[in-house]
């Protein structure tokens, strides 16, 4: 029986440790596949006049590959015009940067919102809603923090905004 020297044993142990760390890194990157995100959230927000300016909506976020994405906002708004149906589609371009294994920043630019034909809500209510994610008049900035394997927290520069349930495929 041949004896393995301590140097050879240390070398084999080092290779095994390296392979395990590569596997763990690959597994984390596979879960976070670049910057793709597909999730949904529920939001009830009150704006300037808390008595008459609010939304009760479902929000669907989709950050696709190649820096393109969409937000679908559907639900109801309350304003001086009454309780009205709201359905808006937002198309945008974005860049993202991961700051830690569980945190990513999304900078949304060139966003365009369109109103569904059945949407009767005043534009100002939707403008208030979008402004919650804004870092300026031109861009939106969202921070994503992973809470658990199925949930993320989306925040603006001012405050946490949405607890978002991850959907399969993104």
């Amino acid at each position: 029986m041949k004896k393995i020297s301590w140097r050879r044993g240390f070398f084999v142990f080092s290779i095994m440790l390296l392979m395990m760390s590569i596997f763990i890194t690959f597994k984390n990157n596979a879960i976070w596949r670049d910057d793709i995100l597909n999730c949904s959230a529920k939001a009830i927000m009150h704006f300037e006049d808390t008595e008459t300016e609010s939304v009760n909506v479902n929000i669907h976020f989709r950050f696709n590959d190649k820096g393109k994405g969409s937000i679908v906002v559907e639900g109801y708004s309350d304003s001086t015009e009454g309780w009205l149906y709201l359905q808006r589609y937002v198309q945008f371009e974005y860049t993202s940067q991961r700051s830690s294994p569980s945190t990513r920043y999304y900078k949304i630019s060139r966003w365009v919102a369109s109103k569904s034909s059945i949407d009767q809500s005043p534009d100002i209510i939707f403008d208030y809603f979008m402004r919650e994610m804004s870092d300026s008049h031109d861009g939106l900035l969202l921070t994503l923090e992973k809470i658990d394997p199925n949930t993320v927290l989306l925040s603006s520069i001012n405050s946490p905004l949405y607890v978002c349930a991850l959907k399969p495929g993104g």
Side-chain angles (χ1 to χ4, degrees):
M1 183 174 194
K2 196 172 183 181
K3 261 186 157 177
I4 298 178
S5 71
W6 70 271
R7 289 181 186 164
R8 183 169 272 177
F10 181 73
F11 177 75
V12 169
F13 176 75
S14 298
I15 294 296
M16 289 175 49
L17 190 60
L18 176 66
M19 296 301 283
M20 284 178 33
S21 63
I22 289 171
F23 173 76
I24 290 169
T25 301
F26 175 75
K27 185 176 177 187
N28 284 340
N29 284 337
I31 290 171
W32 275 85
R33 289 191 322 253
D34 293 321
D35 50 8
I36 295 172
L37 173 68
N38 186 8
C39 71
S40 294
K42 173 84 173 156
I44 298 173
M45 295 177 150
H46 299 279
F47 304 114
E48 305 270 327
D49 180 353
T50 58
E51 296 294 318
T52 61
E53 294 176 343
S54 65
V55 294
N56 184 341
V57 293
N58 293 309
I59 311 153
H60 308 279
F61 292 92
R62 181 87 177 157
F63 291 82
N64 300 316
D65 57 353
K66 298 182 179 117
K68 303 224 182 263
S70 64
I71 303 171
V72 178
V73 182
E74 57 184 344
Y76 289 89
S77 70
D78 190 14
S79 69
T80 55
E81 295 180 29
W83 189 247
L84 301 170
Y85 187 68
L86 173 99
Q87 187 175 47
R88 305 285 170 110
Y89 306 97
V90 180
Q91 299 290 322
F92 57 83
E93 295 179 7
Y94 73 91
T95 56
S96 76
Q97 178 181 4
R98 188 184 320 190
S99 64
S100 75
S102 63
T103 305
R104 180 174 286 284
Y105 296 104
Y106 289 95
K107 173 73 174 165
I108 298 171
S109 60
R110 298 186 192 179
W111 61 277
V112 177
S114 61
K115 193 174 191 175
S116 164
S117 61
I118 57 176
D119 184 332
Q120 299 174 334
S121 293
D123 291 338
I124 189 69
I125 298 295
F126 185 72
D127 292 344
Y128 285 149
F129 172 81
M130 290 301 287
R131 200 173 302 140
E132 289 295 319
M133 295 181 277
S134 179
D135 67 338
S136 70
H137 290 20
D138 299 327
L140 305 175
L141 182 63
L142 289 174
T143 302
L144 177 143
E145 293 180 59
K146 198 164 195 175
I147 296 174
D148 65 39
N150 300 314
T151 313
V152 295
L153 174 66
L154 294 174
S155 305
S156 71
I157 59 171
N158 300 315
S159 65
L161 293 174
Y162 314 111
V163 174
C164 207
L166 296 172
K167 296 180 185 179

